[in-house]
Structures are given as structure tokens and as C-alpha cells.
Amino acid sequence: NKIIVRFTPRNTLASGVIAKATNIIKADGQTGVERWTKTYDNRSSGSIPWQPTTDLRPADPGNTIVRLPYVDQATGRVSGAKNIINPVKTTDFRCWDVSDGTGFEYTNAPPIVYRISVVADGSGVEVSFKNTALGPLYFTDFQVRGQAIVSYDDQNVTYESYSSTVSYGSRLMDYSIPLATTKEFADGLAGWLLAQFSVPKYRVQSISFRNIDAIGAVNLYSLVIGDVVSITEPTTSVSAAAHMIVGITDMISAGGLQTDRTFTLLSFDGHQYFTLDDATYGVIDSVAVLGM
């Protein structure tokens, strides 16, 4: 009759820095470029140099690759991210020919002798640097911007039935939602759990059948997880109690002469708050309350 639901909200922050290098990134010179041995094309008119346009193709190997995790810059907590922005010169990095940033700055100097590409995934970005200059280049203050998706700051909501506590004493259920969610969902779940469990009653956890294929017109082997069944059992006064199938176990023994099928169940009794097209319960008032 007392429910504590613990949950972790998920929020998307405004656009800002979502990954940042903690040190200077060095990209060695002439990485990622193939050089061809000088070749001559022998023709009837004479031997002429073979100089294909753009030297055939640039090579992908040789890039300097750095992986940066998504981190909420305000708290230092690991986060997710979306809407990644490709790094912008000067705003997101600067480029130098000396590691301490005191040499010549190549950030905006023509010709541009570096290329940067970013590939994003669920946990961070993979940044590829390609340096076509003769000497090494050093990238300082490197960062990637986007929208951080944060999921921490654990919270909880508590619901309690006063009348049930007076009658039966305090009975606590502590429920943790495993995935990030919203406070609205946690409130709704706490209210539903309280409505389900604040009044004591028999709840069937599983039901088994031996050497039975069908009950009435229902084939037991046609039932699947997620189906809702109605259970009536006179000894415990369970009558037309709705239960959802959450697990199925089959056993075959005695050389196939004996079969057992067990359904693991979750109580799924509903609570009617509002009924359409009903003279009494179709009117929202103190008797019929619109709710979950």
C-alpha cells in the first residue's frame, strides 16, 4: 500500500559542446597520400611522362584517428548526443606547426593542408585528421558540438493508500524502472501499482496443464506471451481474474506420452474509472473519474 518508484529522467540539452579533446592532437606530415614513381608512356610520337589527374587517387590509410566520448561538459558525466555539427575552423579547433601553439598558424592559411571528418555513433565521435603538409601539424582546443542527451540525476516518486495502511499496516514496494523515462510515466506507474496491490487478494502466479491440449474452444498451444487469460478458481474465490501471460514452459516426458504446459502469469486486473455510453458510469463525476 506504499509504492516508491525510482527512475532516471532523460533530457536533451541545448546545442553545445558534446565532446572535447583533453590534449593537443598531432597529425604527422604527408599522411594519407600515395606518391607514384615517375612513369613514361611510350608512344610512336615519343616517350611522354604519365601524369594522371590528381595522381590517380588519395589513399585512406595513414590518417590520424582520435576517438572522443560524449560528455556533459557541465557535470563531467558520460552522455549521449544527436545533431552532431562538423567542426568549424577557429570555433572548434586551431591548427599550428609547433606543438605549443607558438609557431605558424595554419587554421585559415592557404593552401589548406589538412582535412577533418567526424563519424558519430551512440557513445562518441571518431575524428579523422589527414595532413598533406611536409611536417607535422598540431590541433589545439579541439571540440565537437551537438545536442547532449543526458540520463542521470536519479529521482523517485512515492504514492501511499492511507485507508489500506490503517487496515493492514504499512506494506512497501520499492520499484526501479531500468530504462530512462519521464516523471509522468513514473507517476502513472506508481498510481497503477497502488491501485493493483493496496487491497489484499489472491493472485495466481502460474497455471499448469498436463496432457490437455484445449480448454473449451481455446487451444492451449495457440496462446502466446502477451495474451490475457481469465481465471476462475472457487477455492480461493478468484473469479474471472484477468492475467497476462509473461512466460511459457513446455515439458515432454515418458517417451512423449506425457506433456506439461505451464503459463507464468502477471495479474492484469483492470480498474474501470470511466465507461462510455453508460447512464451512470458514462458521466464524469464523483462516481466515475476519468483516469488510467
Side-chain angles (χ1 to χ4, degrees):
N1 47 37
K2 183 176 182 179
I3 310 291
I4 299 177
V5 174
R6 306 183 188 277
F7 68 101
T8 305
R10 173 173 292 177
N11 296 309
T12 300
L13 305 183
S15 183
V17 177
I18 47 90
K20 193 172 186 177
T22 57
N23 50 22
I24 296 172
I25 300 171
K26 177 185 177 183
D28 288 322
Q30 297 294 345
T31 57
V33 174
E34 288 186 1
R35 294 188 173 277
W36 293 80
T37 301
K38 194 170 184 179
T39 305
Y40 292 87
D41 185 11
N42 295 316
R43 303 183 182 183
S44 57
S45 58
S47 182
I48 62 173
W50 180 54
Q51 296 177 337
T53 306
T54 67
D55 239 359
L56 267 191
R57 64 188 182 279
D60 288 331
N63 292 356
T64 298
I65 297 176
V66 177
R67 182 165 183 80
L68 305 174
Y70 299 132
V71 175
D72 179 9
Q73 302 301 308
T75 63
R77 299 287 299 269
V78 172
S79 69
K82 66 178 183 178
N83 299 327
I84 309 302
I85 301 172
N86 211 50
V88 177
K89 292 182 294 182
T90 305
T91 300
D92 297 314
F93 67 89
R94 298 179 71 179
C95 179
W96 312 83
D97 65 352
V98 179
S99 60
D100 61 3
T102 60
F104 181 79
E105 183 171 2
Y106 278 91
T107 309
N108 294 297
I112 298 298
V113 291
Y114 60 84
R115 292 199 297 272
I116 298 176
S117 61
V118 173
V119 177
D121 62 21
S123 60
V125 291
E126 184 178 279
V127 187
S128 177
F129 298 84
K130 181 173 291 188
N131 175 13
T132 60
L134 292 175
L137 293 176
Y138 301 89
F139 296 86
T140 61
D141 305 318
F142 188 86
Q143 63 184 25
V144 179
R145 290 172 293 136
Q147 286 186 282
I149 302 173
V150 297
S151 183
Y152 43 82
D153 188 23
D154 296 341
Q155 300 180 23
N156 64 74
V157 295
T158 302
Y159 280 62
E160 184 173 7
S161 170
Y162 176 75
S163 59
S164 178
T165 302
V166 170
S167 300
Y168 308 106
S170 180
R171 298 290 186 267
L172 174 66
M173 174 186 283
D174 198 329
Y175 190 98
S176 295
I177 302 176
L179 300 178
T181 185
T182 63
K183 183 179 185 303
E184 289 76 13
F185 181 83
D187 281 328
L189 178 61
W192 182 79
L193 289 171
L194 190 66
Q196 288 289 93
F197 297 110
S198 61
V199 178
K201 64 178 179 179
Y202 285 104
R203 293 178 178 86
V204 180
Q205 294 182 323
S206 66
I207 188 168
S208 300
F209 301 90
R210 173 167 293 179
N211 296 332
I212 297 176
D213 294 333
I215 299 293
V218 178
N219 186 324
L220 295 179
Y221 290 89
S222 69
L223 297 175
V224 297
I225 291 175
D227 285 346
V228 177
V229 297
S230 177
I231 298 176
T232 297
E233 202 288 307
T235 303
T236 54
S237 300
V238 173
S239 178
H243 287 73
M244 184 172 67
I245 299 173
V246 295
I248 301 174
T249 303
D250 288 312
M251 182 181 298
I252 301 175
S253 57
L257 297 178
Q258 182 171 301
T259 60
D260 294 85
R261 166 157 276 214
T262 299
F263 297 101
T264 303
L265 304 173
L266 174 67
S267 177
F268 209 63
D269 281 345
H271 293 264
Q272 288 188 338
Y273 295 97
F274 180 69
T275 305
L276 294 174
D277 298 327
D278 185 276
T280 301
Y281 296 104
V283 179
I284 300 177
D285 54 17
S286 60
V287 176
V289 180
L290 183 60
M292 182 173 54

